[in-house]
Amino acid sequence: MAGRKDDTSLLQQLENPKTRRQAFSKLVQQSSEQLYWVIRRIVMDHDDANDVLQNTFLKAWNNLDDFKNKSKISTWVYRIAINESLDFLRSRNSRMSFLGEDHNNVANQLLADEYFDGDETQAVLQEAISKLPEVQRIVFNLRYFDEMKYSEMSKLLNTSEGALKASYHLAVLKITEYFKKKD
């Protein structure tokens, strides 16, 4: 996303009522694609990811005055995106459980999704990831797909680098075991 100098300039524009809308549009433009993929890897479905992305930007816009400038604006929006994704999953999972729907066959759902451009192995990987506990799933996605450093994740998730490394290691072990069972 934006560099430090760009971030400072963007923050100044966001604080000014005259330039706030334009600056926020710039933030949306700069971060939409990256946030979409972070969200998509958590919620899996294209349409759901778009909905969560919209909710993320709505929440960011409505809470701009609450931004404390203790982190980069991009980190703050990233955190909102992850929280919105998790809230969406919790809501969907409780709704599916209530309706008695099966939401375990992620690989078949992805292969049927016209927006999914991966092969069967990638679909099975996503299914394995979907079986992980929330924290491990997020840490794995951020590290494996986004190649995010543990130091950045630590700020984003507000936890120690050691805990993140342990979560990633456990996630890799569980995913490896999932693939072995599939063979």
Side-chain angles (χ1 to χ4, degrees), residues 16-58:
N16 182 342
K18 293 180 182 177
T19 57
R20 180 176 263 197
R21 282 190 188 278
Q22 184 179 0
F24 192 78
S25 288
K26 184 178 178 183
L27 174 67
V28 169
Q29 185 179 13
Q30 289 174 346
S31 58
S32 285
E33 185 175 351
Q34 188 174 8
L35 285 174
Y36 167 83
W37 285 109
V38 167
I39 294 166
R40 173 75 188 261
R41 283 188 285 272
I42 296 172
V43 302
M44 302 294 186
D45 181 74
H46 167 75
D47 292 329
D48 292 340
N50 276 331
D51 290 347
V52 172
L53 182 62
Q54 283 183 346
N55 289 343
T56 296
F57 286 125
L58 278 171

Side-chain angles (χ1 to χ4, degrees), residues 11 28 30 49 55 68 76 91 103 122 137 150 154 180:
L11 281 173
V28 169
Q30 289 174 346
N55 289 343
K68 304 291 187 228
W76 181 69
S91 170
H103 57 276
Q122 290 170 320
R137 184 171 56 237
Y150 289 111
S154 177
K180 286 179 183 175

Side-chain angles (χ1 to χ4, degrees), residues 91-103:
S91 170
R92 181 181 70 189
N93 289 342
S94 66
R95 210 172 40 247
M96 289 177 135
S97 294
F98 176 74
L99 296 173
E101 294 180 27
D102 179 23
H103 57 276

Side-chain angles (χ1 to χ4, degrees), residues 38-154:
V38 167
I39 294 166
R40 173 75 188 261
R41 283 188 285 272
I42 296 172
V43 302
M44 302 294 186
D45 181 74
H46 167 75
D47 292 329
D48 292 340
N50 276 331
D51 290 347
V52 172
L53 182 62
Q54 283 183 346
N55 289 343
T56 296
F57 286 125
L58 278 171
K59 190 169 240 178
W61 174 257
N62 290 332
N63 292 291
L64 269 176
D65 292 332
D66 296 335
F67 178 67
K68 304 291 187 228
N69 204 8
K70 292 182 180 177
S71 64
K72 291 173 26 177
I73 189 83
S74 57
T75 303
W76 181 69
V77 175
Y78 229 100
R79 188 175 297 132
I80 293 172
I82 289 172
N83 287 334
E84 285 295 304
S85 299
L86 294 175
D87 288 347
F88 172 82
L89 284 182
R90 287 183 201 111
S91 170
R92 181 181 70 189
N93 289 342
S94 66
R95 210 172 40 247
M96 289 177 135
S97 294
F98 176 74
L99 296 173
E101 294 180 27
D102 179 23
H103 57 276
N104 291 325
N105 200 345
V106 173
N108 286 342
Q109 290 171 353
L110 284 174
L111 291 170
D113 184 341
E114 67 182 284
Y115 296 102
F116 180 72
D117 60 359
D119 61 13
E120 191 173 342
T121 302
Q122 290 170 320
V124 172
L125 172 61
Q126 289 301 324
E127 186 169 84
I129 293 168
S130 75
K131 306 281 186 209
L132 296 171
E134 279 180 9
V135 172
Q136 290 175 14
R137 184 171 56 237
I138 291 168
V139 171
F140 183 83
N141 281 327
L142 293 175
R143 182 76 179 145
Y144 184 80
F145 292 109
D146 297 332
E147 299 176 355
M148 187 178 283
K149 295 177 182 174
Y150 289 111
S151 58
E152 291 177 54
M153 263 192 273
S154 177

Side-chain angles (χ1 to χ4, degrees), residues 165-181:
K165 289 176 183 178
S167 289
Y168 182 77
H169 179 71
L170 287 170
V172 169
L173 290 174
K174 289 177 182 176
I175 290 169
T176 302
E177 190 60 35
Y178 189 84
F179 270 92
K180 286 179 183 175
K181 287 180 182 177

